[in-house]
């Protein structure tokens, strides 16, 4: 019978085997008291199963408060499995099963979801990304290398005219990709519809002249009808991408947007910190992004190397790898990782080396805007950093032939 | 101008004033580098404002890793405000603004959203609970006192026939409210449609005989079309409540369900642990439940006193109070708190004393099922515990006149 597998990092003040069984019980047929109806047959048929429990270490203090007091806490790698028939291939019900009440158990002083393996039925039931890597390359006209991108800044507060002016500079500067900030959707100072019309006029004019249509991810995050209507406007105006904040709209929001959309969905992870910043609690990125790719995300944010946030580089790379990995052997559902936050060309070579792929979007704000020779030179410098990275040429050596890059090295 | 106010518990290794300004900047017009476009006028108009910053204490070690290293970390009470016009009255965009990237900042070694004050525009833009306390009392026929409830157990694995049999016992036993487990939505062993038809036959027959229609919260969690269709079936079969897991469906899921629904929405918080279990990170319940009530939740789970999970009693009561408090002075949007987890009549008096209200649902599993004289006696014992609590009579004294309660005291 097909099963769902989820892996956890677990810390417990209880006997680890007992704690694992309590978690398995809580998330399937068990409850706090023994019930006559919970027969051995029922447990065997519907109970979650402890597939693996490896002791990793011990500590004298608990990672999280509120658990059962103990002289010693044990850290473990735990894998549980559930029969698919408990919930069927349903993402919302998967969420309640693999990430429901278990985090609150007293047997738990630390619990983090680290991995997920799903039966193919999920790939049959959900649409996955409609565009992914190949579709994004086709629409943006970037056949090789990363998409060189940037973000409209200041995050919020500019008028439509100011935004259009910024886009004009970026488009003239040769950028491949632009995104709205996640704080800017349909503010009174910069209404979505006017912004789309103004920005697309610039992008379309440039495309007619140059043959290159810059991909702009318009942040349509909102109520469902708003998102559908905004998507339709972007499409009608000739736009090629829409953006939504996943934690704002939830699984149903993304599923419904995907059903409606005819454009790639750029998925923002704003709020990811509250799901992940405590190492003893919450979610690793790998299982989390899998749910959203099944639901239809084409681009997934992964932060960036040496970012200005608190995430370590190895976590960033693990996240980006997970986005490039197949969701399952039978259904790759490829999506594109988006690198951002404090990025310049200085991170290109290390990103390429660590990831082994250029199927990504690399966005820089200050790294482009602050170039002393202007936006075009900023874009060129970032792009040439990637050429150097892909050719295995040291950045300084490559810069000798590329003045824009040379100038950038001074301020990056 | 109308503003949105959010309060946080903040810990920082930076100067607290600077950290507060960085957070305010990150969540509004600022970015990591100074930009020409970010004029003083723009900042004044659109920037988030630090309304309050009170130092609470210091520690030598950070609550969360990854932040800037420091010899000393400062804990503060922080209040920020934003102009409503930045996002308009949009719940999804509110989420990205008050609970977006800020948790990941290096200036942050602890951040928890503790409070939220919204302008009336949000109450005008969203429907809120359609039934709330009054509607739930009317549909369930319980005019006074708490709804005495229970949960179908084992959580998952029973057939439709077994479920119907359990409901039959509960209904005959005089229970007011029954809910599906959050793990049971439309499993192959207990398909939603068959379960609803079978259960409602029992509930309807009993209602015809007795005049009392037991409220059953059917867990319709699923994709949007599934939820709508399942709601319609419950309605057509004469059911009076549907249930959904909020973290599974997200804000759009609840908003759309609310738009469609003609029945109270029983909101399950499965996964709440990963949002709240680390004291230095995430969400307090009060601001969290406010979003869901605006979106339309009629019943909100709050755990229970002396529960079997890790949540302390004061947190449970604070959560329940927040559900009974008005969302805003101009719009109460009343919802009903749901107490559960390891509950018996022993918690009735303390719950009543701490809450000062009986506008609640009190669900017990083992506390009802395990009664030596059967389910009816279990229900009666729990109900009489509440009578004693409301009349201020000690449980033992009240039990002398009520044999079912007397017998329950032996095993609770």
């Amino acid at each position: 019978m097909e099963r769902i597998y989820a892996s956890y990092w677990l810390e417990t003040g209880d006997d680890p085997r007992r704690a694992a069984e309590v978690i398995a019980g809580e998330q399937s047929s068990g409850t706090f008291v023994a019930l006559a109806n919970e027969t051995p047959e029922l447990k065997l048929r519907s109970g979650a199963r402890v597939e693996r429990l490896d002791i990793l270490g011990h500590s004298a203090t608990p990672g999280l408060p509120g658990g059962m007091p103990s002289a010693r806490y044990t850290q473990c790698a735990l894998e549980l499995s559930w029969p698919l028939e408990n919930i069927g291939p349903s993402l919302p019900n998967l969420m309640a099963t693999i990430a429901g009440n278990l985090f609150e158990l007293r047997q738990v002083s630390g619990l983090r979801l680290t991995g997920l393996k799903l039966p193919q039925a999920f790939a049959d039931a959900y649409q996955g990304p409609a565009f992914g890597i190949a579709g994004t390359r086709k629409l943006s006209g970037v056949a090789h290398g990363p998409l060189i991108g940037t973000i409209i800044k200041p995050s919020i507060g500019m008028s439509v005219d100011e935004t259009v002016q910024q886009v004009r500079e970026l488009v003239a500067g040769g950028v491949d990709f632009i995104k709205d900030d996640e704080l800017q959707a349909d503010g009174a100072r910069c209404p979505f519809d006017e912004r789309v019309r103004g920005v697309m006029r610039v992008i379309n004019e440039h495309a007619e002249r140059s043959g290159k249509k810059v991909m702009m991810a318009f942040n349509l995050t909102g109520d469902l009808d708003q998102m559908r209507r905004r998507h339709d406007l972007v499409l009608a105006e000739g736009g090629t991408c829409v953006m939504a904040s996943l934690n704002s709209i939830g699984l149903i929001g993304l599923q419904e947007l995907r059903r409606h959309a005819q454009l790639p969905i750029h998925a923002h992870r704003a709020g990811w910190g509250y799901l992940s910043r405590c190492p003893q609690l919450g979610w690793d990125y790998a299982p989390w992004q899998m749910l959203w790719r099944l639901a239809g995300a084409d681009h997934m944010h992964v932060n960036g190397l040496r970012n200005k946030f608190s995430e370590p580089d190895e976590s960033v790379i693990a996240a980006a790898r997970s986005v490039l990995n197949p969701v399952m052997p039978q259904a790759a559902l490829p999506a594109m990782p988006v690198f951002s936050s404090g990025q310049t060309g200085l991170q290109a070579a290390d990103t390429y080396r660590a990831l082994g792929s250029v199927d990504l979007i690399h966005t820089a704000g200050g790294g482009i805007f602050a170039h002393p020779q202007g936006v075009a030179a900023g874009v060129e410098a970032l792009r040439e950093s990637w050429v150097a990275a892909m050719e295995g040429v040291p950045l300084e050596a490559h810069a000798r032939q590329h003045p824009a890059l040379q100038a950038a090295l001074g301020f990056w």
Side-chain angles (χ1 to χ4, degrees), chain A residues 150 152-153 158 161-176 178 199 202-203 206 209 214 368-371 373-379:
Chain A
T150 191
I152 298 291
K153 292 279 180 184
M158 287 201 295
D161 285 350
E162 289 166 321
T163 305
V164 169
Q165 181 51 35
Q166 196 172 97
V167 169
R168 196 185 312 273
E169 282 178 53
L170 288 165
V171 165
V175 80
D176 302 319
I178 309 171
V199 164
V202 170
I203 288 177
H206 182 263
R209 275 199 311 277
V214 173
I368 286 178
F369 284 113
H371 196 288
Q373 297 160 359
V375 166
V379 170

Side-chain angles (χ1 to χ4, degrees), chain A residues 77-299:
Chain A
L78 168 66
E79 187 179 47
L80 299 180
S81 76
W82 291 261
L84 174 60
E85 68 167 24
N86 278 23
I87 54 170
S90 164
L91 286 179
N93 288 300
L94 178 69
M95 194 79 125
T97 295
I98 63 170
N101 277 345
L102 62 175
F103 298 92
E104 297 183 57
L105 288 168
R106 295 188 69 243
Q107 285 79 4
V108 163
S109 66
L111 191 67
R112 194 169 170 97
L113 183 54
T114 54
L116 185 57
K117 274 193 293 184
L118 296 174
Q120 188 177 343
F122 279 88
D124 299 338
Y126 290 93
Q127 296 180 287
F131 293 84
I133 296 166
T136 297
R137 289 199 176 283
K138 192 167 176 202
L139 282 173
S140 65
V142 180
H144 306 291
L147 272 68
I148 301 299
T150 191
I151 306 171
I152 298 291
K153 292 279 180 184
S155 318
I156 196 161
M158 287 201 295
S159 66
V160 168
D161 285 350
E162 289 166 321
T163 305
V164 169
Q165 181 51 35
Q166 196 172 97
V167 169
R168 196 185 312 273
E169 282 178 53
L170 288 165
V171 165
V175 80
D176 302 319
F177 177 90
I178 309 171
K179 64 178 280 286
D180 278 331
D181 194 272
E182 80 276 7
L183 299 171
Q184 180 62 277
D186 187 39
R189 291 271 160 191
C190 194
F192 186 88
D193 294 4
E194 286 181 45
R195 184 167 81 252
V196 169
R197 290 197 184 96
V199 164
M200 286 314 301
R201 202 168 303 127
V202 170
I203 288 177
N204 288 331
E205 281 168 13
H206 182 263
E208 276 166 37
R209 275 199 311 277
S210 69
K212 177 186 175 72
K213 182 173 269 189
V214 173
M215 179 174 276
M216 168 96 181
F218 291 103
N219 179 16
L220 52 61
T221 301
D223 301 340
L224 185 55
D225 288 349
Q226 292 171 337
M227 293 201 290
R228 288 190 185 127
R229 201 189 46 68
R230 289 173 191 162
H231 164 276
D232 293 350
L233 178 70
V234 174
L235 185 69
E237 294 291 322
T240 54
C241 190
V242 294
M243 161 175 154
S245 288
L246 301 178
N247 290 314
S248 295
I249 65 174
L251 273 175
I252 298 295
L254 185 61
Q255 290 173 211
E256 289 301 311
L257 180 58
R258 169 65 181 87
R259 280 178 52 167
H260 182 83
Q262 300 175 50
L263 297 170
I265 299 171
H266 185 86
H268 201 284
R269 68 179 200 179
W272 170 243
Y274 66 68
L275 297 173
S276 64
R277 178 90 192 262
C278 175
Q280 294 89 3
L281 184 67
W283 294 72
D284 272 3
Y285 196 75
W288 191 76
Q289 59 87 36
M290 199 184 280
L291 304 183
W292 300 105
R293 274 163 71 194
L294 276 162
D298 292 283
H299 308 156

Side-chain angles (χ1 to χ4, degrees), chain A residues 12-34:
Chain A
T12 180
D14 201 352
D15 168 68
R17 171 57 53 179
R18 190 162 51 220
E21 293 294 347
V22 167
I23 296 170
E26 173 68 21
Q27 291 310 108
S28 59
S29 59
T31 185
F32 296 114
V33 292

